[in-house]
Amino acid sequence: MSYEKIFEYDLDIMSVIEYGVNMQAMLAGQESVPLHGAQFDVTLAGPIKGRMTGTIRGIDYLRVRADGRRELDLRATIETEDGSRIAFSADGVGTPRDGQPIVDLAVKIDLNTAAAPYAWVNARPAWGAGYANLATGKIHIDAYLH
C-alpha cells in the first residue's frame, strides 16, 4: 500500500471549557478522572500546509473515559490561501506517553467542500498521526491518503 502525505497542521490550544474537572490537573494525574468520565471543549487554531495551504480553526470535543482513554472529536474549518473553505472533521484517540506531557494522536479525517480546486478531498477519508504536547499547548498532525 502506498500513502500520499496531503498536508500537515500545527495547532495551538487557544482556550478550554471545562465541565466540572480541571483538565490540566486531570491530564497531569493530579486529579482523578470521574467515574462517568470528563469532557472538555478545546478551541484550536493554526496553519495547515501541503496540497492545501492556509489556516484551520475549530473545537475538539475531547472526552476522557474513566479508564483514561482520550477520545477526540474535532470539528473545524480550513480556509485556504486562495479563500476556499473546507469542512474538516476528525475522530480518533490520544494515548499518553508514560512520564511525559506528550499524547500520541491517531485520527480519521473527513473533508468536504464544493470548491472545485479541492474537490479531490471529497473522495475518501484521510488518516492522521501526530502528537499533542500538553506542556506547550501545541499539536502536530501529518495527514495521508492511501
Side-chain angles (χ1 to χ4, degrees):
M1 265 189 249
S2 64
Y3 290 87
E4 172 195 2
K5 183 175 177 181
I6 55 171
F7 57 77
E8 64 184 71
Y9 58 85
D10 291 290
L11 302 175
D12 292 313
I13 296 174
M14 308 303 288
S15 66
V16 177
I17 296 174
E18 301 171 331
Y19 297 96
V21 63
N22 181 285
M23 186 176 89
Q24 286 297 99
M26 191 191 68
L27 296 178
Q30 300 164 342
E31 196 170 319
S32 298
V33 178
L35 289 177
H36 58 275
Q39 177 160 334
F40 307 96
D41 297 349
V42 183
T43 303
L44 306 163
I48 185 168
K49 60 185 176 181
R51 284 182 66 183
M52 61 186 73
T53 301
T55 59
I56 182 170
R57 289 179 169 75
I59 298 175
D60 185 3
Y61 301 96
L62 172 65
R63 291 176 307 278
V64 181
R65 295 187 336 192
D67 64 4
R69 178 182 168 110
R70 288 155 171 86
E71 297 177 337
L72 312 171
D73 180 10
L74 176 58
R75 302 294 179 251
T77 301
I78 296 169
E79 188 159 340
T80 64
E81 287 181 341
D82 64 10
S84 297
R85 288 198 179 113
I86 301 166
F88 176 106
S89 65
D91 298 301
V93 297
T95 306
R97 294 184 192 171
D98 287 337
Q100 296 182 42
I102 306 293
V103 177
D104 292 310
L105 306 173
V107 294
K108 178 178 107 24
I109 301 167
D110 290 303
L111 303 165
N112 191 307
T113 188
Y118 301 98
W120 58 270
V121 305
N122 300 312
R124 58 185 193 246
W127 301 93
Y131 60 89
N133 184 327
L134 302 176
T136 63
K138 305 278 186 189
I139 298 166
H140 178 84
I141 295 284
D142 294 309
Y144 301 85
L145 286 178
H146 88 79

